[in-house]
């Protein structure tokens, strides 16, 4: 929970208001110090109902909560598809690869996700921009300084 008011509301909702007065859990510092014991207490209180019950109850009472998902569940979630957070991109060696999309979606400057460059793919272009001539680049390649 995010603050002391939520903590007191939380322990009330889970039917354990005495936890707020328990010296081991009365402050954030104490809760961190006694995390193992607190986790045991909370798990015992939550056991009678499934996660959906608690998530709904907590969210309706102003305590943000949600399920803990596996990576497979995250990437199968409809919101991930709707926000284009898992992308398949073409790759010259792999054929295709998966990567994450951009979290921030900006209308004026939307951004773009591209594949990472191959080893040495832009070496000549960059060296030319830095003022190296074709002969110098050829020498560097022959000396195996670059690929």
């Amino acid at each position: 929970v995010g603050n002391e008011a939520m903590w007191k509301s939380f322990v009330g909702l889970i039917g354990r208001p005495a936890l707020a007065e328990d010296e081991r859990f009365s402050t954030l510092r104490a809760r961190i110090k006694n995390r193992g014991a607190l986790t045991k207490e909370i798990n015992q209180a939550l056991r009678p109902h499934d996660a959906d019950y608690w998530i709904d109850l907590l969210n309706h009472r102003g305590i943000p909560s949600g399920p803990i998902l596996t990576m497979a569940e995250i990437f199968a979630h409809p919101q991930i598809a709707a926000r284009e957070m898992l992308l398949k991109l073409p790759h010259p060696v792999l054929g295709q690869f998966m990567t994450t999309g951009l979290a921030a979606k900006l209308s004026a400057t939307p951004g773009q996700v591209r594949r990472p460059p191959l080893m040495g793919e832009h070496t000549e272009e960059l060296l030319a921009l830095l003022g190296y001539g074709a002969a110098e680049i050829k020498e560097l390649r022959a000396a195996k300084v670059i690929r």
Side-chain angles (χ1 to χ4, degrees), residues 12-86:
L13 286 172
I14 66 171
R16 302 295 299 278
L19 290 177
E21 307 308 319
D22 187 316
E23 191 174 299
R24 298 171 300 162
F25 315 127
S26 61
T27 66
L28 176 59
R29 183 180 297 256
R31 290 192 292 276
I32 292 169
K33 180 180 177 187
N34 297 293
R35 184 182 196 126
L38 180 58
T39 298
K40 187 175 179 181
E41 295 280 352
I42 292 172
N43 285 343
Q44 186 176 354
L46 298 179
R47 191 168 286 122
H49 300 286
D50 66 13
D52 289 338
Y53 170 88
W54 292 114
I55 290 167
D56 186 54
L57 179 66
L58 293 168
N59 283 325
H60 278 91
R61 299 290 176 89
I63 300 173
S65 64
I68 298 171
L69 304 177
T70 66
M71 292 304 288
E73 290 169 329
I74 289 169
F75 288 118
H77 196 283
Q79 186 66 8
I80 296 298
R83 297 217 6 94
E84 298 177 333
M85 291 305 299
L86 184 62

Side-chain angles (χ1 to χ4, degrees), residues 9 13 15 26 28 34 41 44 48 55 71 76 98 100 106 114 117-119 130 135 142 144:
S9 178
L13 286 172
S26 61
L28 176 59
N34 297 293
E41 295 280 352
Q44 186 176 354
I55 290 167
M71 292 304 288
M98 306 283 284
T100 54
L106 306 175
R114 295 179 286 189
L118 299 174
M119 176 73 84
L130 292 171
K144 299 190 186 227

